[in-house]
Every structure is written in C-alpha cells, then in structure tokens.
Amino acid sequence: MTTPAVQLMNSLRSGNSTAPRLTWYGPDSERVELSGRVLDNWVAKTSNLLQDELDASPGMSIRLALPAHWKAMVWALASWQLGLETVLEGGRADFLVTADPAPASGGDGPAGEAQPHGQGKYDAVIAVALPALAMRWPGELAAGCLDYAAEVRLHGDVFLAHADPDPLARAIAGADGSEYLQQDLLDGFAARHDEGVRLHIPAGHGLEPALANALGAWKQDGSVVLTHPDVELTEKLLAAERIHGQ
C-alpha cells in the first residue's frame, strides 16, 4: 500500500529529475541546490539509515529538533516515506534528530525548552551538523549518539521498504493541535500553491510552515528556495533564482 509521501518521492525522481527542487541559502554565502534526483538520493540514504541501522518501522515517531533547513526537509521526507510520525514540538518520540545534541542528556532543549526525556529515553539520538560540507560532527558526541554526516553516506541511494507505511497512521501534528494522517500530507497539511511555482520560503518562519509550503510546491511540480534568516532577499537573488508564483 502506498502513501502520498511515497508517491511524491516517486515523482521527484522521475520525469524532469535533474531540475532544481530544493535550493538553500545559508550563512557565509552557502548555497546548496538539490535536483529531484539528488533530493531523492538524500532521502533514500536517510530512510535506509533509519530502517537498517536504527530498526525504524511504520508507526514509530521521530522528534525533529531542527531549524527550517534543507537537511530538516530531508529528514521529514525520509520519515514520512517510512511511515513515521514527525514530532516538531516537545513530546515523546522513539528517535531524536537534533542540531544541538548536548541537551539530549538533560537540561534545556534546542530552543531553550525543557527536555522531559533524556538521551536514554530515546531509542536513538542523531546529531545533524548543519553546514553543507560537514563530513562529521565538529566535536565530541555522547556515547550512543549517532553522527548523521558521517553515517548517512554509508547507506544506499535506493530505498526499499521492509514494511508498507500505513496511510491511516499519524504523520504530523500542527502547532494549532491539528493532526494529519499519512494520507493527508498532500491534501490537508500541504499549503496550496500554483502549478510549477518557484517558491521562496523564509526559514525564520519555522520548520512547520516550511514543510507545509515545500510539500505544496512539490505537489504542483514546483520547487522551493529556502533562505536562512541572515540572508537578505535581494532583487538580484530573486532574479537569479527565478522566484515566481505563490
């Protein structure tokens, strides 16, 4: 049985798979452009890491303690492809994915929030180094904390699920309390956008709206340009990226 997330990944790697689908502008002039094929490769590698190394299976949950960033979008797509629930706010989850792994062993969370669960309460904690060229986590990690940058490249570019995701399982809960099932991702959670849109998404607005807008653009065979809050949206950038539509 298939789900909208699985169908979306099929569409991103087929057809015009070399066209840009996700472009990121970060600090220090960082620019990352992922075609549909490359985005699918990243999602497949991450899905394989979850399934083969962490024994993730449909119906489990994953806490994405990440800012709006291209790697956060990869993690969300991989989670939904597997049939996992993504948890964006505090709450119980089987796995923790974070750009700030130190609080996972106790204390305050990535945004200063109290962390009710220590590292031992997760099946696994995955540290994500955000710089595009990072080959490993820059420093020491606690015992049992997985280094995403070092591990993800060891996994295959093609994902074959061991078990079908359940379309009726929960995919994500919105900040307003709305809950969306796997079958609702593209026709409930995703924002509405024009066909073929080249959409600008400000990362400063948060991960939830970034995911909803990206899904809505990709559903319409469009693409997105995600910009870090420190990046100025100039006329030159708008013209260079051919941002249009809404």
Side-chain angles (χ1 to χ4, degrees), residues 28-232:
D28 302 319
S29 302
E30 183 180 72
R31 182 182 182 276
V32 176
E33 183 171 278
L34 305 180
S35 66
R37 180 182 301 159
V38 173
L39 177 57
D40 176 67
N41 285 349
W42 273 96
V43 173
K45 285 178 176 292
T46 306
S47 298
N48 283 322
L49 184 155
L50 279 165
Q51 178 176 260
D52 298 338
E53 190 162 340
L54 302 179
D55 294 325
S57 59
M60 298 180 80
S61 57
I62 186 165
R63 165 84 164 99
L64 297 185
L66 297 170
H69 187 275
W70 71 268
K71 291 184 182 179
M73 292 192 171
V74 166
W75 270 100
L77 289 169
S79 302
W80 293 326
Q81 179 170 244
L82 262 168
L84 307 185
E85 176 190 356
T86 57
V87 179
L88 303 186
E89 301 299 331
R92 184 69 181 97
D94 297 295
F95 307 105
L96 171 65
V97 179
T98 177
D100 186 9
S105 58
D108 290 339
E113 68 203 45
Q115 283 289 321
H117 306 293
Q119 181 171 330
K121 298 296 180 68
Y122 295 99
D123 290 350
V125 175
I126 304 97
V128 177
L130 296 179
L133 298 180
M135 300 298 291
R136 61 185 58 84
W137 182 261
E140 296 295 324
L141 289 172
C145 188
L146 190 73
D147 184 346
Y148 175 65
E151 296 293 332
V152 69
R153 290 173 173 81
L154 304 178
H155 293 271
D157 293 343
V158 177
F159 175 67
L160 298 175
H162 295 169
D164 291 336
D166 181 1
L168 298 179
R170 189 161 68 171
I172 191 170
D176 62 357
S178 300
E179 295 186 356
Y180 301 93
L181 305 181
Q182 297 287 342
Q183 67 182 13
D184 301 328
L185 273 175
L186 297 185
D187 290 312
F189 176 67
R192 294 186 179 183
H193 290 296
D194 298 338
E195 182 73 22
V197 65
R198 177 70 165 161
L199 182 69
H200 172 243
I201 300 177
H205 290 179
L207 181 54
E208 181 182 336
L211 290 172
N213 279 296
L215 287 175
W218 292 328
K219 176 187 175 182
Q220 296 295 93
D221 197 30
S223 60
V224 301
V225 178
L226 179 65
T227 59
H228 186 276
D230 292 344
V231 173
E232 183 182 359

